[in-house]
């Protein structure tokens, strides 16, 4: 009986009908063999995606989960920096520019906010070293002021087109920021800044794109929307002053908005019109552009584009057409806008176009060099290195002028290092010498000898600073990038 | 080259003989820039010139005969010259011992040597930082290790706004243990655990190893960031390395009976 009970305990009941001879049974339940028991220590665990893996990972501590480049930017180190007021750093001033030569300056607070909105302060510029972004007024600044900023209100953008060239780290992006700041100062913020901080984002496949049959161009709603947002934030002061030159009607959330001519402002347009980011065909950007061209008679407009060679030297984008052929930069609405203003085909009545190359890419590309008359046209150049149409468009209307950004002079290097020394970035100390391990008795003896020795060489910080200046200048040839690296990232 | 220089030297020494009655000509200055060759007039007269009577106003027939006789004597195979003329001729055929240049520093060089006599030779990096770099290095990739350490020190500078090398040194000083224990085999059943003092480099090594262990527990994927975080927390006295240091000191204290003085 007991044995039977034990056997019964090993079987389970099931309502299922099992095809066997037991079907003939009159019993209401069918008996079948139980599954073998799972061996001890191998319990089957069902995976629950909500709970995740059973063993929770030990939490790791630390300031950040980011890598170095992002970490130094995101950890707000600038808050721990010395206040620039204590260092007596002057502000970049258009009127006093001659007096500021070879001096480290900061931007005027309002200008700094505008430049920050336009993303003019980039990663890897080591802006975390100081409370506010600082810059050195160099010969380049004076020259760009004469060649470009002074002409902003005197000539059309067609006659005022400049491309900043130079080796990697020479300060092209910084000079672009200085140019914008000088323009803001010169016109007392009554200037419209159109700045694209990274032109490669137009072609690198990071945004959505749709074809506009009316314009026969591809639009990039997300990119355009984000850019317009930056422009609105940066140019709020001047855009609020400019009235619309024509009426416009658009719909947002099923509500029709009517903006009236001479009543509503350009700022209202950018604030209320959400068609810039509409996933559908729209002419919102063209309307805004026409308004800008209209107002350029009174207000100078500065179009500045950084990393321009990312689109001019590599004009074939990562985006594809339905037939899977890649889309050319000129087939985008924004790409077309850039090319037209760069070639002078379209122009602002007052203003200028300033673009800067990046030294990080395109060392073997020929398009820009030929377009800027730096290199001769090679008829046998390969298509992937050279785009004849773009090179020709750069040469149109007397061509885009090439502006070679120069390295710092010795004096400028010295002045910059003097500032770094004052701010605590550069430590002037004795040269490192070989570590000598001595006993404590020997150490005491050595110190006693030093105290007695009147002729012992005393450390002269000024002399040492002079040596450091010579050394750093020789290492970097006055290139700010290498100068910074030699000072802050070489221990 | 030495032969050419030697020839020019000879001509200078012979000049009065050619000119006969003319006074001794000033020797050609063959010294290079910053050269060690001497420029003093009296030192230019070689032994050759001193031995042979070059100050004669005239050369007589006897002199010529003696010269020819000596030449023939030497040609015949005489190895040890005896007369003045023979000595002169033998030296003429082998002038190099008399033309060796001695290094004589200029006054400027002497002053410079004096100036730097008390100074040590500068080296590129701080030895402590170099030690850290070498311990961070894996698979011999030194420049990668240098980059990592430099970036870590940069973050330390940003966080503390002080000289990061000094902070590193201070941290290692604080974290490094003073004493360790060594197992000494006695040959009998029980081994002795003997406390032994550590020098600075050994202390640094312990501290750096503990810092590197601690940095593995930080969450950044970048070693530079993790290292910086750990050095900063060790500087603030929060590292787990302090427990290990205390443990080492405790063990040493327990075994202090075995200290051999």
């Amino acid at each position: 009986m007991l044995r039977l009970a034990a056997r019964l305990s090993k079987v389970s009941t099931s309502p299922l009908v099992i095809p066997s001879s037991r079907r003939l049974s009159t019993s209401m339940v069918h008996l079948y063999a139980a599954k073998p028991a799972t061996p001890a220590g191998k319990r089957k665990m069902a995976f629950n995606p909500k709970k995740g893996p059973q063993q929770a990972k030990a939490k790791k501590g630390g300031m950040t989960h980011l890598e170095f480049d992002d970490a130094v930017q995101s950890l707000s180190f600038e808050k721990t920096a010395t206040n620039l007021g204590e260092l007596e750093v002057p502000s970049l001033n258009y009127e006093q520019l001659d007096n500021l030569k070879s001096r480290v300056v900061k931007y005027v607070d309002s200008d700094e906010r505008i430049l920050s909105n336009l993303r003019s302060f980039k990663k890897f510029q080591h802006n975390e070293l100081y409370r506010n972004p600082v810059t050195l007024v160099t010969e380049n600044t004076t020259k760009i002021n004469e060649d470009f900023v002074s002409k902003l209100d005197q000539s059309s953008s067609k006659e005022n087109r400049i491309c900043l060239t130079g080796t990697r780290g020479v300060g092209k992006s910084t000079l672009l920021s200085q140019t914008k700041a000088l323009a803001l100062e010169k016109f007392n913020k009554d200037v419209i800044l159109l700045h694209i901080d990274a032109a490669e984002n137009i072609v690198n496949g990071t945004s959505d794109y749709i074809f506009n049959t009316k314009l026969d161009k591809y639009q990039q709603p997300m990119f355009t929307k984000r850019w317009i947002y930056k422009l609105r934030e940066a140019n709020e002061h001047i855009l609020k002053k400019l009235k619309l030159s024509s009426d416009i009607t658009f719909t947002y959330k099923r509500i029709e908005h009517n903006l009236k001519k001479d009543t509503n402002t350009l700022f209202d347009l950018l604030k209320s019109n959400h068609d810039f980011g509409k996933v559908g065909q729209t002419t919102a950007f063209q309307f805004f552009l026409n308004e800008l061209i209209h107002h350029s008679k009174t207000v100078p407009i500065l179009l500045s584009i950084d990393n321009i060679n990312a689109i001019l030297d590599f004009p074939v984008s990562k985006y594809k057409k339905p037939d899977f052929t890649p889309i050319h930069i000129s087939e985008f609405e924004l790409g077309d806008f850039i090319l037209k203003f760069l070639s002078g085909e379209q122009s602002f009545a007052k203003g200028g176009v300033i673009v800067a190359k990046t030294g990080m890419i395109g060392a073997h590309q020929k398009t820009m060099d030929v377009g800027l008359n730096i290199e001769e046209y090679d008829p046998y150049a390969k298509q992937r290195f050279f785009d004849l149409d773009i090179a020709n468009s750069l040469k149109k209307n007397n061509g885009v002028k090439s502006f070679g950004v120069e390295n710092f002079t010795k004096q400028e290097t010295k002045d910059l290092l003097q500032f770094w020394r004052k701010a605590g970035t550069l430590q002037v100390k004795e040269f490192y010498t070989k570590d000598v391990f001595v006993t404590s008795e020997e150490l005491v003896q050595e110190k006693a000898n030093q105290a007695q020795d009147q002729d012992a060489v005393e450390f002269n910080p000024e002399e040492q600073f002079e040596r450091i200046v010579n050394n750093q200048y020789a290492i970097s040839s006055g290139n700010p990038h290498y100068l910074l690296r030699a000072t802050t990232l070489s221990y | 080259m030495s032969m050419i220089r030697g020839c020019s030297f000879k001509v200078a020494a012979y000049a009065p003989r050619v000119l006969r009655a003319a006074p001794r000509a000033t020797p050609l200055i063959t010294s290079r820039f910053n050269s060690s060759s001497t420029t003093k007039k009296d030192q230019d007269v070689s032994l050759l010139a001193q031995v042979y009577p070059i100050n004669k106003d005239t050369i007589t027939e006897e002199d010529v005969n003696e010269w020819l006789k000596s030449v023939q004597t030497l040609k015949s195979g005489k190895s040890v010259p005896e007369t003045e003329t023979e000595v002169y001729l033998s030296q003429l055929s082998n002038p190099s011992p008399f033309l060796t240049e001695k290094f004589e520093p200029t006054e400027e060089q002497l002053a410079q040597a004096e100036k730097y006599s008390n100074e040590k030779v500068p080296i590129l990096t701080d030895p402590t930082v170099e030690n850290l770099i070498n311990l961070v290095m894996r698979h011999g990739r030194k420049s990668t290790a240098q980059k990592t350490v430099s970036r870590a020190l940069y973050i330390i500078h940003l966080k503390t706004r002080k000289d990061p090398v000094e902070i590193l040194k201070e941290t290692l000083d604080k974290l490094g243990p003073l004493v360790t224990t060594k197992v000494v085999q006695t040959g009998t059943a029980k081994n002795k655990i003997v406390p032994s003092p550590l020098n600075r480099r050994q202390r640094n090594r312990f501290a750096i190893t503990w810092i590197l262990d601690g940095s593995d527990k930080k969450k950044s994927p970048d070693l530079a960031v993790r290292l910086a975080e750990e050095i900063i927390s060790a500087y603030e006295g929060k590292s787990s390395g302090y427990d290990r240091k205390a443990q080492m000191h405790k063990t040493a204290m327990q075994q202090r009976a075995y200290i051999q003085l």
Side-chain angles (χ1 to χ4, degrees), chain A residues 322-341:
Chain A
D323 62 358
F324 222 66
T325 51
I327 305 172
H328 194 264
I329 180 71
S330 58
E331 291 174 274
F332 286 105
E333 187 185 24
L334 276 170
D336 184 55
F337 153 72
I338 291 168
L339 286 177
K340 278 183 177 161
F341 275 89

Side-chain angles (χ1 to χ4, degrees), chain A residues 446-458:
Chain A
E446 198 179 297
K447 281 190 177 172
N449 290 343
Q450 274 179 3
Q452 283 176 1
D453 194 1
Q454 299 295 322
D455 302 330
V457 182
E458 276 184 27

Side-chain angles (χ1 to χ4, degrees), chain A residues 34-216:
Chain A
K35 280 178 191 172
T38 38
K42 274 196 172 182
R43 277 182 67 196
K44 227 180 180 181
M45 300 287 285
F47 176 70
N48 185 349
K50 281 183 186 170
K51 283 186 180 174
Q54 291 298 309
Q55 285 179 343
K57 273 187 184 173
K59 262 194 176 178
K60 288 188 167 185
M63 292 189 287
T64 179
H65 65 282
L66 299 168
E67 294 205 7
F68 176 78
D69 303 325
D70 297 315
V72 289
Q73 250 211 336
S74 67
L75 289 173
S76 313
F77 285 127
E78 59 275 4
K79 284 178 188 164
T80 59
T82 326
N83 199 344
L84 290 177
E86 291 168 22
L87 301 171
E88 295 168 358
V89 178
S91 296
L92 185 63
N93 190 335
Y94 178 78
E95 304 293 335
Q96 302 288 322
L97 195 60
D98 289 340
N99 299 338
L100 294 173
K101 259 185 189 176
S102 193
R103 283 196 71 178
V104 174
V105 294
K106 62 175 181 174
Y107 297 101
V108 178
D109 288 347
S110 54
D111 295 353
E112 189 192 314
R113 226 174 2 259
I114 289 170
L115 295 178
S116 182
N117 283 330
L118 291 170
R119 309 287 187 276
S120 295
F121 306 121
K122 297 179 137 189
K123 253 189 203 178
F124 321 125
Q125 285 185 335
H126 294 272
N127 285 321
E128 64 276 359
L129 278 170
Y130 305 105
R131 188 70 65 89
N132 304 89
V134 290
T135 182
L136 184 76
V137 177
T138 60
E139 291 292 327
N140 295 321
T141 319
T142 325
K143 207 172 159 218
I144 201 83
N145 187 34
E146 286 166 10
D147 290 3
F148 185 77
V149 180
S150 59
K151 290 182 191 168
L152 276 176
D153 56 344
Q154 288 163 9
S155 63
S156 67
S157 73
K158 195 165 87 175
E159 292 147 15
N160 199 10
R161 291 172 292 147
I162 272 185
C163 178
L164 305 182
T165 56
T167 50
R168 185 193 164 195
V170 80
K172 298 180 286 295
S173 299
T174 310
L175 192 60
L176 215 54
S177 300
Q178 287 183 351
T179 310
K180 280 175 279 178
L182 285 173
L184 283 169
E185 284 299 296
K186 186 185 176 189
F187 301 108
N188 199 17
K189 300 191 182 41
D190 286 345
V191 56
I192 297 175
L193 300 179
L194 309 177
H195 178 66
I196 295 176
D197 62 311
E200 65 267 23
N201 287 343
I202 300 173
V203 290
N204 64 3
T206 50
S207 73
D208 52 350
Y209 63 111
I210 52 165
F211 188 64
N212 189 329
T213 45
K214 284 178 199 165
L215 297 173
D216 200 24

Side-chain angles (χ1 to χ4, degrees), chain B residues 92-109:
Chain B
L92 195 66
S93 61
N94 184 22
S96 54
F98 307 99
L99 298 173
T100 48
E101 291 183 359
K102 265 195 286 178
F103 173 74
E104 283 190 22
T106 60
E107 278 180 16
E108 275 177 31
Q109 286 170 332

Side-chain angles (χ1 to χ4, degrees), chain A residues 60-69 72 77 80-81 126 128-129 424-425 427 429 431-435 437 455-457 488-491, chain B residues 115 118-127 150-151 153-155 157-159 161 163-165 200-201 216-222 225 229:
Chain A
K60 288 188 167 185
M63 292 189 287
T64 179
H65 65 282
L66 299 168
E67 294 205 7
F68 176 78
D69 303 325
V72 289
F77 285 127
T80 59
H126 294 272
E128 64 276 359
L129 278 170
T425 312
Q427 272 87 32
K429 50 188 178 182
F431 277 127
Y432 299 123
T433 50
K434 203 178 168 189
D435 228 351
F437 296 100
D455 302 330
V457 182
T488 59
L489 279 169
S490 304
Y491 288 100
Chain B
K115 190 182 168 190
N118 289 336
E119 287 203 34
K120 290 176 180 173
V121 178
I123 56 171
L124 192 62
T125 47
D126 186 276
S150 285
R151 285 176 160 198
L153 293 176
Y154 177 62
I155 292 178
H157 168 70
L158 291 177
K159 186 81 179 166
R161 299 289 164 180
D163 182 7
V165 177
R200 185 142 49 93
R201 197 177 168 81
D216 285 347
K217 287 166 194 151
K218 305 287 178 188
K219 61 187 168 190
S220 174
D222 200 331
V225 179
E229 285 174 351

